[in-house]
Amino acid sequence: MNGPMIYADNAASTRLSPAAKAAMLPFLDEVCANPSAPHAMGRAAAAALANARAQMASALGCDAEEIFFNSGGTEADAQALRTAAHIGARQGKRHILSTAFEHHAVLHTLAQLQREGFDTELLPVPADGVVTAAQVASAIRPDTSLVSVMFANNEIGTVQPVAEIGAVCRAAGVLFHTDAAQAAGQLPIDVRAQQIDLLSLSAHKFHGPKGAGALYARKGLRPAPLLAGGGQECGARPGTENLPGIVGMAAALTEAAAHLDETAAALTKKRDRLIAGLAAIPQAVLNGDAGRRLPGNVNFSFAGVEGEALLLLLDARGICAAAGAACTAGSPDPSHVLLAIGRSPSLARSALRLTISAETTDAEIETILRAVRETVTQLRSAPGA
Ligand SMILES: *Cc1c(COP(=O)(O)O)cnc(C)c1O
């Protein structure tokens, strides 16, 4: 890599915050004990674990015993869906409602549940990328056990009316799960006010470490363990706790929650500068609603431009961006999210996702704008384009 890199792929992963790193260091070094050990160092580890749980609970508006630590968003999604599916099955309810543009951690778990005899249904996503509470209300059936709608989409950044959907579900006696992997750190979360029963988090999406996550499960909803083993996390998640990861995650979420409004305001300004600049490129189409989207998310399709080629040229100029989700990068299939909002396969293949963080500077925004403008022009004028 020649020259400085510009990182605009924060939806895929973020840089560890200095506060999270500092909080983790003692647990990567001198505090090596297992939190289950009864000796003094074990008790210190257990105290740190309890403190991290209390910090997470305070950031989400719940009680500490409603937080279950795990390895990340994928595990939290799988456990949330399986927990609710089994609770429903015990009451003879086997219908699970979700949406067509969920993360694959949700969609592929739903596909497994379907093969296991559950009746899963995916709501279509309106063209603006925002599912409505009315859609959810009219699709709930007497045998619906669970509604799972993501808090904010990871590709197009659109923010869902979570509190309204929570109210619809609560009134209907249906459990509500939301995948908040993208929302945490950028949007206010209050699981009580928003009437959320199950919520998934991933630390590395909000400047915490990779490989750490959490499931919030409302009191009374005992998460069904995915593995068998020890009694950690009240038996919901056996295995020695990832204490450095957990402590780092709690520090990152606490820090993000303390600065939520300023961060969102600063990011929104930069995001809207990017959107305005990219919208001026001929035949550029913004994917997802312009206003109801994450403060850090920009996603455009450029008609006639191959997204993969655009990414390669931007990469050569030191700009780290994405076409869509990191886990489907390199796949020839167009994004299921962009198809869900009605984009043609060719427009879906011409997408560019730029996701910024508080660390993105105004100068970097201008460099990105210039690079995308020049690269799109270059690709469109190439022979055969
Ligand atoms: C990143 C992400 C996940 C997966 O989280 P991991 O911690 O990487 O397993 C799930 N859902 C959404 C919306 C995400 O953005």
Side-chain angles (χ1 to χ4, degrees):
M1 203 49 251
N2 301 313
M5 275 194 268
I6 294 179
Y7 188 69
D9 198 14
N10 285 278
S13 201
T14 58
R15 190 167 83 96
L16 189 64
S17 82
K21 187 175 174 179
M24 290 171 75
L25 281 177
F27 302 95
L28 292 166
D29 192 2
E30 70 269 18
V31 190
C32 66
N34 190 314
S36 299
H39 48 65
M41 198 190 287
R43 294 196 303 275
L49 186 63
N51 183 51
R53 203 182 304 281
Q55 285 181 301
M56 297 291 293
S58 148
L60 299 175
C62 64
D63 292 340
E65 61 264 37
E66 296 173 307
I67 298 290
F68 297 87
F69 293 123
N70 58 33
S71 66
T74 301
E75 185 179 344
D77 284 340
Q79 191 168 29
L81 297 178
R82 289 197 168 275
T83 297
H86 293 134
I87 291 172
R90 285 200 292 276
Q91 303 164 346
K93 295 156 82 173
R94 301 184 78 82
H95 179 237
I96 299 171
L97 199 55
S98 187
T99 78
F101 76 159
E102 297 297 313
H103 190 275
H104 282 132
V106 167
L107 291 178
H108 291 170
T109 302
L110 289 175
Q112 286 180 337
L113 289 167
Q114 178 80 27
R115 289 194 291 273
E116 292 166 26
F118 289 90
D119 181 4
T120 61
E121 177 182 348
L122 302 180
L123 289 171
V125 181
D128 62 5
V130 182
V131 171
T132 68
Q135 276 184 283
V136 173
S138 61
I140 288 178
R141 312 191 312 215
D143 63 337
T144 306
S145 61
L146 170 71
V147 167
S148 178
V149 178
M150 65 201 319
F151 208 122
N153 183 269
N154 50 305
E155 292 191 31
I156 58 175
T158 49
V159 179
Q160 309 306 305
V162 164
E164 285 174 49
I165 295 171
V168 162
C169 293
R170 194 61 59 87
V174 172
L175 293 174
F176 175 40
H177 164 249
T178 188
D179 176 346
Q182 292 290 328
Q186 288 195 52
L187 300 174
I189 299 178
D190 181 335
V191 294
R192 297 261 187 276
Q194 292 158 338
Q195 305 191 64
I196 297 164
D197 298 303
L198 296 151
L199 175 137
S200 308
L201 285 182
S202 171
H204 74 101
K205 302 294 177 68
F206 51 83
H207 302 279
K210 290 156 184 70
L215 172 67
Y216 149 78
R218 186 170 54 78
K219 218 163 286 167
L221 301 176
R222 245 186 72 78
L226 300 174
L227 299 169
Q232 292 91 347
E233 299 298 302
C234 297
R237 212 282 186 168
T240 300
E241 300 86 347
N242 168 14
L243 195 53
I246 290 167
V247 165
M249 168 166 62
L253 191 64
T254 301
E255 187 185 25
H259 303 288
L260 204 58
D261 293 348
E262 319 145 46
T263 307
L267 277 182
T268 301
K269 238 173 106 189
K270 289 178 189 140
R271 175 197 76 190
D272 290 347
R273 166 75 190 124
L274 266 179
I275 289 179
L278 295 177
I281 295 174
Q283 292 182 276
V285 196
L286 179 67
N287 293 313
D289 192 78
R292 286 173 296 169
R293 66 192 303 130
L294 288 169
N297 176 289
V298 175
N299 189 316
F300 270 90
S301 286
F302 301 99
V305 170
E306 196 58 61
E308 289 300 322
L310 178 56
L311 282 181
L312 279 175
L313 291 175
L314 291 176
D315 188 31
R317 296 171 72 138
I319 297 171
C320 305
C327 22
T328 48
S331 143
D333 299 331
S335 146
H336 70 286
V337 172
L338 296 176
L339 295 181
I341 61 167
R343 294 289 180 245
S344 66
S346 96
L347 260 192
R349 278 196 202 87
S350 73
L352 173 69
R353 180 185 73 180
L354 297 163
T355 46
I356 56 174
S357 81
E359 293 156 358
T360 312
T361 66
D362 288 326
E364 287 178 330
I365 298 280
E366 298 310 315
T367 305
I368 293 171
L369 280 175
R370 195 175 338 108
V372 176
R373 220 178 283 131
E374 290 172 5
T375 309
V376 167
T377 306
Q378 179 188 344
L379 286 169
R380 281 180 174 158
S381 61

